[in-house]
Amino acid sequence: QVVGGKVKKPGKRGRKPAKIDLKAKLERSRQSARECRARKKLRYQYLEELVSSRERAICALREELDMYKQWCVAMDQGKIPSEIKALLTGEEQGKAQQNSTKLAKAGKTEANSSNP
């Protein structure tokens, strides 16, 4: 066969394998394996850190849940835990401060609008 001025032999199609030095090929393979192991190690480290952080979060949430359960048991017995009292008084103080701030602002705007 003559194609484009070149004589082609019938048989395999595509590129012929280049004469690659066997030692260089083995070294590339070793390097690729080293890189693969390093990536795998990093991936496992990341996953372990993720798991440990989630476990810490779970422990904190369980402690919080236990605290709320204890509060409920105490309230069922007719006792109000000091933490809830503190929260309620803190909210009441916060509401009182917000109301006084609103009244003060309203007074200032009325004073400014009445003075021409």
Side-chain angles (χ1 to χ4, degrees):
Q1 278 184 333
V2 178
V3 177
K6 295 182 180 178
V7 177
K8 286 200 154 199
K9 298 178 184 175
K12 295 183 181 178
R13 297 173 64 185
R15 293 178 55 185
K16 293 184 179 179
K19 302 284 181 180
I20 299 174
D21 185 21
L22 187 60
K23 288 183 180 181
K25 185 177 180 180
L26 287 173
E27 184 56 37
R28 276 200 319 269
S29 177
R30 289 185 192 111
Q31 181 64 30
S32 177
R34 278 192 291 269
E35 291 171 359
C36 180
R37 287 189 295 270
R39 285 191 305 270
K40 183 177 178 182
K41 185 177 180 181
L42 286 174
R43 186 170 50 248
Y44 273 88
Q45 285 176 347
Y46 166 75
L47 290 173
E48 286 174 357
E49 290 172 6
L50 191 64
V51 166
S52 66
S53 69
R54 299 285 164 91
E55 286 175 345
R56 284 192 301 271
I58 288 170
C59 287
L61 288 171
R62 281 195 177 132
E63 289 174 4
E64 187 177 354
L65 181 62
D66 288 339
M67 179 184 66
Y68 292 141
K69 284 180 181 178
Q70 290 172 358
W71 287 4
C72 289
V73 168
M75 291 175 67
D76 287 343
Q77 295 172 354
K79 302 172 188 171
I80 298 177
S82 59
E83 296 91 351
I84 294 179
K85 286 181 184 177
L87 287 173
L88 291 174
T89 56
E91 287 178 8
E92 290 172 2
Q93 289 174 357
K95 287 179 184 176
Q97 287 177 352
Q98 288 175 352
N99 288 340
S100 64
T101 305
K102 287 179 184 177
L103 289 174
K105 287 182 180 178
K108 287 180 184 177
T109 54
E110 288 177 10
N112 289 339
S113 62
S114 63
N115 290 337

